[in-house]
Amino acid sequence: MAEPRSRSQRRSDALAKLRDQVDLWVASAGDGGAYLIPLSFHWDGATLLLATPVASPTAGNLTAAGWARVALGPTRDVLIIEGTVEAIPIGVDPEREDAHAATTGFDPRTLSAEYTYLRITPQEIQAWREANELPGRQLMKEGAWLE
C-alpha cells in the first residue's frame, strides 16, 4: 500500500479529476425510493453542471432536497462531493450550456424531451484511495478548501 498523500496532493489530484473526467455517479432519494445514476458533467472551476430530464426522479429529488451527493473515480481513488443544487432551465445561460456540451459531448438542447441543468456548488469534498487515507480525507468543508 502506498503512503497516504498529503492534503495538498489530494486537492491537486481532485482538481485534476474534476477537470479531466466527464462522468460521475449521482445519488438521490425520494418518496419513490433511492436512485443512483451516471451523468456527464462540466466543471467550471467552482461548480458542476449536469443535465437530466425534468421529469426524472433524479431531477425531482435533487431539486426538492436542494442538496446532492456525487462520486467520481474508481473505488480505490474516489472523490465524494456534496453540495447545494440549483435547477437551471435550458436557455437561461447559453455560454454555460455550450461549455457543458463541449465537455460532455452531449447537448440536451437538441432533444425533444424537456431537460434541465443542475448546478452543484460543492460544500464538502472528500478524497481517498486506501484505508490509510481515511484520516484527513476531508478536503473541503462548508464550501472552503481546508489547508
Side-chain angles (χ1 to χ4, degrees):
M1 183 180 313
E3 290 294 315
R5 295 170 292 166
S6 67
R7 181 172 279 136
S8 173
Q9 184 61 53
R10 289 186 208 199
R11 178 179 173 176
S12 177
D13 292 348
L15 290 170
K17 193 173 295 230
L18 287 164
R19 183 185 63 245
D20 299 338
Q21 293 192 13
V22 69
D23 297 317
L24 48 69
W25 289 97
V26 180
S28 72
D31 293 338
Y35 296 89
L36 181 65
I37 65 163
L39 290 176
S40 298
F41 72 94
H42 168 70
W43 171 251
D44 66 7
T47 65
L48 298 158
L49 189 66
L50 315 139
T52 193
V54 169
S56 71
T58 299
N61 292 341
L62 295 183
T63 302
W67 192 259
R69 184 171 192 146
V70 302
L72 63 151
T75 56
R76 291 184 185 250
D77 191 10
V78 68
L79 188 61
I80 305 286
I81 301 170
E82 293 186 57
T84 58
V85 175
E86 176 188 2
I88 303 171
I90 286 183
V92 170
D93 191 343
E95 186 176 320
R96 191 178 304 267
E97 294 168 24
D98 288 345
H100 177 272
T103 299
T104 66
F106 169 66
D107 191 344
R109 299 172 292 183
T110 65
L111 303 175
S112 60
E114 185 180 2
Y115 272 68
T116 187
Y117 289 101
L118 300 173
R119 182 170 45 208
I120 300 172
T121 302
Q123 299 299 307
E124 310 282 331
I125 297 179
Q126 299 178 35
W128 70 91
R129 289 185 175 156
E130 301 280 347
N132 67 348
E133 283 197 354
L134 290 175
R137 67 184 172 263
Q138 192 86 25
L139 301 180
M140 178 184 281
K141 187 170 183 167
E142 298 176 357
W145 291 100
L146 301 175
E147 295 302 320

